[in-house]
Amino acid sequence: MGKFINEFKEFAVKGNAVDMAVGVIIGGAFGKIVSSIVDDIIMPPIGWLIGGVNFSDLKYTLPSVDLGVEQLAPATINYGNFIQTTFDFVIIAFCVFLLVKGINRLARKDAKKEAPVPAPAPEPTNEEKLLAEIRDLLKDKK
């Protein structure tokens, strides 16, 4: 049991797991910000432009069902909420795309700055020089 706990501790404090947890937390907060931008800034003017429509109020009401003993309340298909959520998703995906694109650009710039300079070719040893001279002399005799 102790080995299992140690393995779990190693996993939990490993950089990747902590980075992932931070990313999930920041992503949740970022999602709330983007949802607020969509709900409070982008969608009201769009609704105003198309005649004062509030997308979250758009729905299709199904007829109520009479079972004889009781009557079931009508169900609604809230397609306006679906449209709102779709806008949220598109904007969040676009923002994440821009963020990843920016990070990749910075990573490429850093990689170019830190690109290792190729080491000069090592000078041949005395034995290699001597062998090259012998080879050249043999070529000349032919």
Side-chain angles (χ1 to χ4, degrees):
M1 187 67 174
K3 182 179 178 185
F4 178 76
I5 292 173
N6 287 336
E7 286 179 16
F8 178 74
K9 276 200 301 191
E10 184 180 326
F11 166 77
V13 297
K14 208 180 215 185
N16 293 340
V18 173
D19 291 344
M20 184 176 67
V22 169
V24 167
I25 292 168
I26 290 176
F30 182 71
K32 289 179 183 179
I33 290 170
V34 173
S35 292
S36 176
I37 289 171
V38 170
D39 295 341
D40 302 328
I41 295 173
I42 294 174
M43 293 309 288
I46 291 174
W48 178 76
L49 286 173
I50 61 172
V53 175
N54 183 358
F55 282 94
S56 58
D57 293 339
L58 297 175
K59 59 186 168 190
Y60 178 76
T61 304
L62 299 173
S64 61
V65 177
D66 187 8
L67 298 176
V69 179
E70 66 178 306
Q71 185 165 351
L72 296 177
T76 60
I77 298 174
N78 302 320
Y79 65 91
N81 195 24
F82 175 74
I83 292 171
Q84 186 78 29
T85 304
T86 303
F87 274 119
D88 284 354
F89 171 77
V90 169
I91 291 172
I92 289 172
F94 182 70
C95 290
V96 169
F97 167 74
L98 292 178
L99 183 70
V100 168
K101 188 173 180 170
I103 289 172
N104 287 341
R105 184 178 305 137
L106 289 175
R108 281 193 302 265
K109 285 181 182 178
D110 288 344
K112 287 179 183 178
K113 288 179 185 176
E114 297 176 8
V117 178
E123 192 170 317
T125 63
N126 288 335
E127 292 172 344
E128 290 172 339
K129 289 179 186 176
L130 183 60
L131 287 171
E133 286 177 25
I134 294 170
R135 180 196 63 209
D136 294 341
L137 286 172
L138 290 172
K139 273 187 193 177
D140 291 341
K141 283 190 175 183
K142 287 186 182 180

